Amino acid sequence: MSTDTAPDTAPGTVNAGLSPVQLAAARDLLEEQRGSRIEQLRRLQQHDGGTGGTDGPDGPDGDGAGADAGAARIRLVDWARMVLADVDAALARMDEGRYGVCGMCTGPVEWDRLRVVPQARYCSRCHPARRAGR
């Protein structure tokens, strides 16, 4: 069996029938993502003194950029926390034997998709429907 593609499996099988090599590769990708997001959060919190605030509405130079920079930093922190939560949830699914199983149709999430987005919860067929809120 090739390690580049997941075998055809029945929906809902343990870890979607991914091989041990694929699971190890996915875990490595997830752990790398986790470390990157933790480091990003550390840097962002260090940059703002850990308060999550800004230098004031006019910024340190009184140029009005402080509020914009603060809002951008808040969005970055929110995004990094969201990705970190998704990565942690994917690692939990892996530990529970549910990794790579689509959260909508319970079919396998394609290996090609997991290699790009290892925390993916939905197969490529269900993902657009989920994003559309259906």
Side-chain angles (χ1 to χ4, degrees):
M1 167 185 358
S2 167
T3 58
D4 290 337
T5 59
D8 291 332
T9 59
T13 57
V14 173
N15 286 319
L18 297 170
S19 74
V21 171
Q22 290 168 323
L23 285 170
R27 185 174 292 279
D28 287 347
L29 290 169
L30 289 165
E31 292 291 350
E32 183 179 319
Q33 278 265 358
R34 188 172 196 284
S36 294
R37 293 311 139 233
I38 289 171
E39 176 60 21
Q40 181 182 29
L41 286 167
R42 186 195 63 75
R43 283 192 320 261
L44 287 166
Q45 290 168 346
Q46 184 179 40
H47 184 265
D48 68 14
T51 64
T54 68
D55 294 316
D58 293 326
D61 299 321
D63 61 2
D68 290 341
R73 191 175 313 120
I74 289 168
R75 284 191 302 273
L76 281 172
V77 167
D78 288 346
W79 176 81
R81 285 181 179 155
M82 180 189 69
V83 172
L84 182 58
D86 286 347
V87 167
D88 285 342
L91 287 166
R93 288 191 305 275
M94 189 177 284
D95 292 343
E96 295 164 0
R98 298 181 299 113
Y99 181 75
V101 177
C102 178
M104 284 184 73
C105 72
T106 68
V109 178
E110 304 84 356
W111 174 238
D112 287 343
R113 179 164 167 68
L114 291 170
R115 286 191 315 198
V116 175
V117 185
Q119 68 271 26
R121 293 180 183 177
Y122 306 103
C123 69
S124 59
R125 193 179 88 236
C126 293
H127 178 73
R130 177 68 179 160
R131 285 186 58 99
R134 291 182 268 165

Coordinates of all heavy atoms in Angstrom, one line a residue, residues 35-109:
G35 N 3.0 24.3 17.9 CA 4.1 25.1 18.4 C 4.2 26.5 17.7 O 4.5 27.5 18.4
S36 N 3.9 26.6 16.4 CA 3.9 27.9 15.8 C 2.9 28.8 16.3 O 3.2 30.0 16.5 CB 3.6 27.7 14.3 OG 4.7 27.0 13.6
R37 N 1.7 28.3 16.6 CA 0.6 29.2 17.1 C 0.9 29.6 18.6 O 0.7 30.7 19.0 CB -0.7 28.5 17.1 CG -1.3 28.2 15.8 CD -1.3 29.4 14.8 NE -0.9 29.0 13.5 CZ 0.1 29.5 12.8 NH1 0.7 30.5 13.2 NH2 0.3 28.9 11.6
I38 N 1.5 28.7 19.4 CA 1.9 29.1 20.7 C 3.0 30.1 20.7 O 2.9 31.1 21.5 CB 2.3 27.8 21.5 CG1 1.1 26.9 21.8 CG2 3.1 28.2 22.8 CD1 1.5 25.6 22.4
E39 N 3.9 30.0 19.8 CA 5.0 31.0 19.7 C 4.4 32.3 19.2 O 4.8 33.4 19.7 CB 6.1 30.5 18.8 CG 7.2 31.5 18.5 CD 8.0 31.9 19.7 OE1 8.0 31.2 20.8 OE2 8.6 33.0 19.7
Q40 N 3.5 32.3 18.2 CA 2.9 33.5 17.7 C 2.1 34.2 18.8 O 2.3 35.4 19.0 CB 1.9 33.1 16.6 CG 1.3 34.3 16.0 CD 0.3 34.0 14.9 OE1 -0.3 32.9 14.9 NE2 0.1 34.9 13.9
L41 N 1.4 33.5 19.6 CA 0.7 34.1 20.8 C 1.6 34.7 21.8 O 1.4 35.8 22.3 CB -0.3 33.1 21.4 CG -1.5 32.7 20.6 CD1 -2.2 31.5 21.2 CD2 -2.5 33.9 20.6
R42 N 2.7 34.0 22.1 CA 3.7 34.5 23.0 C 4.3 35.8 22.5 O 4.4 36.8 23.2 CB 4.8 33.5 23.2 CG 5.9 33.9 24.3 CD 7.1 33.1 24.3 NE 7.9 33.3 23.0 CZ 8.6 34.3 22.7 NH1 8.6 35.4 23.5 NH2 9.3 34.4 21.6
R43 N 4.6 35.9 21.2 CA 5.2 37.1 20.6 C 4.2 38.3 20.7 O 4.5 39.4 21.0 CB 5.7 36.9 19.2 CG 7.0 36.1 19.1 CD 7.5 36.2 17.7 NE 6.5 36.0 16.6 CZ 6.3 34.9 16.0 NH1 6.9 33.8 16.3 NH2 5.3 34.8 15.1
L44 N 2.9 38.0 20.3 CA 1.9 39.0 20.3 C 1.7 39.5 21.7 O 1.5 40.7 21.9 CB 0.6 38.5 19.7 CG 0.6 38.3 18.2 CD1 -0.5 37.4 17.7 CD2 0.7 39.6 17.5
Q45 N 1.6 38.6 22.7 CA 1.4 39.1 24.1 C 2.6 39.8 24.6 O 2.5 40.8 25.3 CB 1.1 37.9 24.9 CG -0.3 37.3 24.6 CD -0.6 36.0 25.2 OE1 0.3 35.3 25.7 NE2 -1.9 35.6 25.2
Q46 N 3.8 39.4 24.2 CA 5.0 40.1 24.6 C 5.0 41.5 24.0 O 5.4 42.5 24.7 CB 6.2 39.3 24.2 CG 7.6 39.9 24.6 CD 8.7 39.0 24.1 OE1 8.7 38.5 23.0 NE2 9.7 38.8 25.0
H47 N 4.6 41.7 22.8 CA 4.6 42.9 22.0 C 3.7 44.0 22.7 O 4.0 45.1 22.8 CB 4.2 42.7 20.6 CG 4.3 44.0 19.8 ND1 3.2 44.8 19.6 CD2 5.3 44.6 19.1 CE1 3.5 45.8 18.8 NE2 4.8 45.7 18.5
D48 N 2.6 43.5 23.2 CA 1.6 44.5 23.8 C 1.7 44.5 25.4 O 0.8 44.9 26.0 CB 0.2 44.2 23.4 CG -0.4 42.9 23.9 OD1 0.1 42.3 24.8 OD2 -1.4 42.6 23.3
G49 N 2.8 43.9 25.9 CA 3.0 43.9 27.3 C 2.1 42.9 28.0 O 1.9 42.9 29.2
G50 N 1.5 42.0 27.2 CA 0.6 41.0 27.8 C -0.8 41.5 28.1 O -1.6 40.7 28.7
T51 N -1.1 42.7 27.8 CA -2.4 43.3 28.1 C -3.4 43.1 27.0 O -4.6 43.2 27.3 CB -2.3 44.8 28.4 OG1 -1.9 45.4 27.2 CG2 -1.3 45.0 29.6
G52 N -3.0 42.9 25.8 CA -3.9 42.8 24.7 C -4.3 44.2 24.2 O -5.1 44.3 23.3
G53 N -3.8 45.2 24.8 CA -4.2 46.6 24.5 C -3.3 47.2 23.4 O -2.6 46.5 22.7
T54 N -3.5 48.5 23.2 CA -2.7 49.3 22.2 C -1.9 50.3 23.0 O -2.0 50.5 24.2 CB -3.7 49.9 21.2 OG1 -4.4 50.9 21.9 CG2 -4.6 48.9 20.6
D55 N -1.2 51.1 22.2 CA -0.5 52.2 22.7 C -1.4 53.4 22.9 O -0.9 54.5 23.2 CB 0.7 52.6 21.8 CG 1.7 51.5 21.7 OD1 2.1 51.0 22.8 OD2 2.2 51.2 20.6
G56 N -2.6 53.3 22.7 CA -3.6 54.4 22.7 C -4.2 54.7 21.4 O -3.6 54.2 20.4
P57 N -5.2 55.4 21.3 CA -5.9 55.6 20.0 C -5.0 56.3 19.0 O -5.2 56.2 17.8 CB -7.1 56.5 20.4 CG -6.9 57.0 21.7 CD -5.9 56.1 22.4
D58 N -4.1 57.1 19.4 CA -3.2 57.8 18.5 C -1.8 57.1 18.3 O -1.0 57.7 17.6 CB -3.0 59.3 19.0 CG -4.2 60.1 18.9 OD1 -5.0 59.8 18.0 OD2 -4.4 60.9 19.8
G59 N -1.6 56.0 18.9 CA -0.4 55.3 18.8 C 0.7 56.0 19.6 O 0.5 57.1 20.1
P60 N 1.9 55.4 19.6 CA 3.0 56.0 20.4 C 3.4 57.4 19.8 O 4.0 58.2 20.5 CB 4.1 55.0 20.3 CG 3.8 54.2 19.1 CD 2.3 54.2 19.0
D61 N 3.2 57.6 18.6 CA 3.6 58.9 17.9 C 2.5 59.9 17.7 O 2.7 60.9 17.0 CB 4.3 58.6 16.6 CG 5.5 57.7 16.7 OD1 6.3 57.9 17.7 OD2 5.7 56.8 15.9
G62 N 1.3 59.6 18.2 CA 0.2 60.5 18.1 C -0.3 60.5 16.6 O -0.9 61.5 16.2
D63 N -0.1 59.4 15.9 CA -0.5 59.4 14.5 C -1.8 58.7 14.1 O -2.1 58.6 13.0 CB 0.6 58.8 13.6 CG 0.9 57.4 14.0 OD1 0.3 56.8 14.9 OD2 1.9 56.8 13.4
G64 N -2.5 58.3 15.1 CA -3.8 57.6 14.9 C -3.7 56.2 14.5 O -4.6 55.5 14.3
A65 N -2.4 55.6 14.5 CA -2.2 54.3 14.0 C -2.4 53.3 15.2 O -2.5 52.1 14.9 CB -0.8 54.1 13.4
G66 N -2.4 53.7 16.4 CA -2.4 52.8 17.5 C -3.7 51.9 17.6 O -3.6 50.8 17.8
A67 N -4.8 52.6 17.3 CA -6.1 51.8 17.3 C -6.1 50.8 16.2 O -6.6 49.6 16.4 CB -7.3 52.8 17.2
D68 N -5.7 51.1 15.0 CA -5.6 50.2 13.9 C -4.7 49.0 14.2 O -5.0 47.9 14.0 CB -5.2 50.9 12.6 CG -6.2 51.8 12.1 OD1 -7.4 51.7 12.5 OD2 -5.9 52.7 11.3
A69 N -3.5 49.3 14.7 CA -2.6 48.3 15.1 C -3.1 47.4 16.2 O -2.9 46.2 16.1 CB -1.2 48.9 15.5
G70 N -3.7 48.0 17.1 CA -4.3 47.2 18.2 C -5.4 46.3 17.8 O -5.5 45.2 18.2
A71 N -6.3 46.8 16.9 CA -7.3 46.0 16.3 C -6.8 44.8 15.5 O -7.3 43.7 15.6 CB -8.3 46.8 15.5
A72 N -5.7 45.1 14.7 CA -5.1 44.1 13.9 C -4.5 43.0 14.8 O -4.6 41.8 14.6 CB -4.1 44.7 13.0
R73 N -3.8 43.5 15.9 CA -3.2 42.5 16.8 C -4.3 41.7 17.5 O -4.1 40.4 17.7 CB -2.4 43.3 17.9 CG -1.5 42.4 18.7 CD -0.7 43.1 19.7 NE 0.0 44.2 19.1 CZ -0.1 45.5 19.5 NH1 -0.9 45.8 20.5 NH2 0.6 46.5 18.9
I74 N -5.4 42.2 17.9 CA -6.5 41.5 18.5 C -7.0 40.4 17.5 O -7.3 39.3 17.9 CB -7.6 42.4 18.9 CG1 -7.2 43.2 20.2 CG2 -8.9 41.6 19.3 CD1 -8.1 44.4 20.5
R75 N -7.2 40.8 16.2 CA -7.6 39.8 15.2 C -6.6 38.7 15.1 O -6.9 37.5 14.9 CB -7.8 40.5 13.9 CG -9.1 41.3 13.8 CD -9.5 41.7 12.4 NE -8.5 42.6 11.8 CZ -8.4 43.9 11.9 NH1 -9.2 44.6 12.6 NH2 -7.4 44.5 11.3
L76 N -5.3 39.0 15.1 CA -4.2 38.0 15.0 C -4.3 37.1 16.2 O -4.1 35.8 16.0 CB -2.9 38.6 14.9 CG -2.5 39.2 13.5 CD1 -1.1 39.9 13.6 CD2 -2.3 38.0 12.5
V77 N -4.5 37.6 17.4 CA -4.5 36.8 18.6 C -5.8 35.9 18.5 O -5.7 34.7 18.8 CB -4.6 37.7 19.8 CG1 -5.0 36.9 21.1 CG2 -3.2 38.3 20.1
D78 N -6.9 36.4 18.1 CA -8.1 35.6 18.0 C -7.9 34.5 17.0 O -8.3 33.3 17.2 CB -9.3 36.5 17.6 CG -9.8 37.4 18.7 OD1 -9.4 37.1 19.8 OD2 -10.6 38.3 18.4
W79 N -7.3 34.8 15.8 CA -7.1 33.8 14.8 C -6.1 32.7 15.3 O -6.4 31.5 15.1 CB -6.5 34.5 13.5 CG -6.2 33.5 12.4 CD1 -7.0 32.9 11.6 CD2 -4.9 32.9 12.2 NE1 -6.3 32.0 10.7 CE2 -5.0 32.0 11.1 CE3 -3.6 33.1 12.7 CZ2 -3.9 31.3 10.6 CZ3 -2.6 32.4 12.2 CH2 -2.7 31.5 11.1
A80 N -5.0 33.1 15.9 CA -4.0 32.1 16.4 C -4.7 31.2 17.5 O -4.4 30.0 17.5 CB -2.8 32.8 17.0
R81 N -5.5 31.8 18.3 CA -6.2 31.0 19.3 C -7.2 30.0 18.7 O -7.3 28.9 19.1 CB -6.9 31.9 20.3 CG -6.0 32.6 21.3 CD -6.8 33.4 22.3 NE -5.9 34.0 23.2 CZ -6.1 35.2 23.9 NH1 -7.3 35.8 23.7 NH2 -5.2 35.7 24.7
M82 N -7.9 30.5 17.6 CA -8.8 29.6 16.9 C -8.1 28.4 16.3 O -8.5 27.3 16.4 CB -9.6 30.4 15.9 CG -10.6 29.6 15.1 SD -11.3 30.5 13.7 CE -9.9 30.6 12.7
V83 N -7.0 28.7 15.6 CA -6.2 27.7 14.9 C -5.7 26.7 16.0 O -5.7 25.5 15.8 CB -5.1 28.2 14.1 CG1 -4.2 27.1 13.5 CG2 -5.7 29.0 12.9
L84 N -5.2 27.2 17.1 CA -4.6 26.4 18.2 C -5.7 25.5 18.7 O -5.5 24.3 18.9 CB -4.1 27.2 19.3 CG -3.4 26.5 20.5 CD1 -2.3 25.6 20.0 CD2 -2.9 27.5 21.5
A85 N -6.9 26.0 18.9 CA -8.1 25.1 19.3 C -8.4 24.1 18.3 O -8.7 22.9 18.7 CB -9.3 26.0 19.6
D86 N -8.4 24.4 17.0 CA -8.6 23.4 16.0 C -7.6 22.4 16.0 O -7.9 21.2 15.8 CB -8.7 24.1 14.6 CG -9.9 24.9 14.4 OD1 -10.9 24.8 15.1 OD2 -10.0 25.7 13.4
V87 N -6.3 22.7 16.1 CA -5.2 21.8 16.2 C -5.3 20.9 17.4 O -5.2 19.6 17.2 CB -3.8 22.5 16.1 CG1 -2.7 21.6 16.5 CG2 -3.6 23.2 14.8
D88 N -5.6 21.4 18.5 CA -5.8 20.6 19.7 C -7.0 19.6 19.6 O -6.9 18.5 20.0 CB -6.0 21.5 21.0 CG -4.7 22.1 21.4 OD1 -3.6 21.7 21.1 OD2 -4.8 23.1 22.2
A89 N -8.1 20.1 18.9 CA -9.2 19.2 18.7 C -8.8 18.1 17.7 O -9.3 16.9 17.9 CB -10.4 20.0 18.1
A90 N -8.0 18.4 16.7 CA -7.6 17.4 15.7 C -6.7 16.3 16.5 O -6.8 15.1 16.2 CB -6.8 18.0 14.6
L91 N -5.8 16.8 17.3 CA -5.0 15.9 18.1 C -5.8 15.0 19.0 O -5.6 13.8 19.1 CB -3.9 16.6 18.9 CG -2.8 17.2 18.1 CD1 -2.0 18.2 18.9 CD2 -1.9 16.1 17.6
A92 N -6.9 15.6 19.6 CA -7.8 14.8 20.4 C -8.5 13.7 19.6 O -8.7 12.6 20.0 CB -8.8 15.7 21.1
R93 N -9.0 14.1 18.4 CA -9.7 13.2 17.5 C -8.7 12.0 17.1 O -9.1 10.9 17.1 CB -10.2 13.9 16.2 CG -11.4 14.8 16.4 CD -12.0 15.2 15.1 NE -11.1 15.9 14.2 CZ -10.8 17.2 14.2 NH1 -11.3 18.0 15.1 NH2 -10.0 17.7 13.3
M94 N -7.5 12.4 16.9 CA -6.5 11.4 16.6 C -6.3 10.4 17.7 O -6.3 9.1 17.6 CB -5.1 12.0 16.2 CG -4.1 11.1 15.7 SD -2.6 11.9 15.2 CE -3.1 12.7 13.7
D95 N -6.2 10.9 19.0 CA -6.1 10.0 20.1 C -7.3 9.2 20.4 O -7.2 8.1 20.9 CB -5.8 10.9 21.4 CG -4.4 11.6 21.3 OD1 -3.5 11.1 20.5 OD2 -4.2 12.5 22.1
E96 N -8.5 9.7 20.0 CA -9.7 8.9 20.1 C -10.0 8.0 19.0 O -11.0 7.3 19.0 CB -10.9 9.9 20.3 CG -10.8 10.8 21.5 CD -11.7 12.0 21.5 OE1 -12.4 12.2 20.4 OE2 -11.7 12.8 22.4
G97 N -9.2 8.0 17.9 CA -9.4 7.2 16.8 C -10.4 7.7 15.8 O -10.9 7.0 14.9
R98 N -10.7 9.0 15.8 CA -11.7 9.6 14.9 C -11.0 10.6 13.9 O -11.7 11.3 13.2 CB -12.7 10.4 15.7 CG -13.5 9.5 16.7 CD -14.6 10.3 17.4 NE -14.0 11.4 18.3 CZ -14.2 12.7 18.0 NH1 -14.9 13.1 17.0 NH2 -13.6 13.6 18.9
Y99 N -9.7 10.7 13.9 CA -9.0 11.6 13.0 C -9.3 11.2 11.6 O -9.2 10.1 11.2 CB -7.5 11.6 13.3 CG -6.8 12.6 12.5 CD1 -6.8 14.0 12.7 CD2 -6.0 12.1 11.4 CE1 -6.1 14.8 11.9 CE2 -5.3 13.0 10.6 CZ -5.4 14.4 10.8 OH -4.7 15.3 10.1
G100 N -9.5 12.2 10.7 CA -9.7 12.0 9.3 C -11.1 11.5 9.0 O -11.4 11.2 7.8
V101 N -12.0 11.6 9.9 CA -13.4 11.2 9.7 C -14.2 12.5 9.6 O -14.2 13.3 10.5 CB -14.0 10.3 10.8 CG1 -15.5 10.0 10.5 CG2 -13.2 9.0 10.9
C102 N -14.9 12.7 8.5 CA -15.7 13.9 8.2 C -16.7 14.1 9.3 O -17.5 13.2 9.6 CB -16.3 13.9 6.8 SG -17.3 15.4 6.4
G103 N -16.8 15.3 9.8 CA -17.8 15.6 10.8 C -19.2 15.8 10.3 O -20.2 15.9 11.1
M104 N -19.4 15.8 9.0 CA -20.8 15.8 8.4 C -21.2 14.5 7.9 O -22.2 14.0 8.3 CB -20.8 16.9 7.3 CG -20.8 18.3 7.9 SD -21.0 19.6 6.6 CE -22.7 19.4 6.2
C105 N -20.5 14.0 6.9 CA -20.9 12.7 6.3 C -20.4 11.5 6.9 O -20.8 10.4 6.5 CB -20.6 12.8 4.8 SG -18.8 12.6 4.4
T106 N -19.4 11.6 7.8 CA -18.7 10.5 8.4 C -17.8 9.7 7.5 O -17.3 8.6 7.9 CB -19.6 9.6 9.3 OG1 -20.4 8.8 8.4 CG2 -20.4 10.4 10.3
G107 N -17.7 10.1 6.3 CA -16.7 9.5 5.3 C -15.3 10.0 5.6 O -15.1 10.8 6.5
P108 N -14.3 9.4 5.0 CA -13.0 9.8 5.2 C -12.7 11.2 4.6 O -13.2 11.6 3.6 CB -12.1 8.8 4.5 CG -13.0 8.1 3.5 CD -14.4 8.3 4.0
V109 N -11.9 12.0 5.4 CA -11.3 13.2 4.9 C -10.1 12.8 4.0 O -9.3 12.0 4.5 CB -10.9 14.2 6.0 CG1 -10.3 15.5 5.4 CG2 -12.1 14.5 6.9

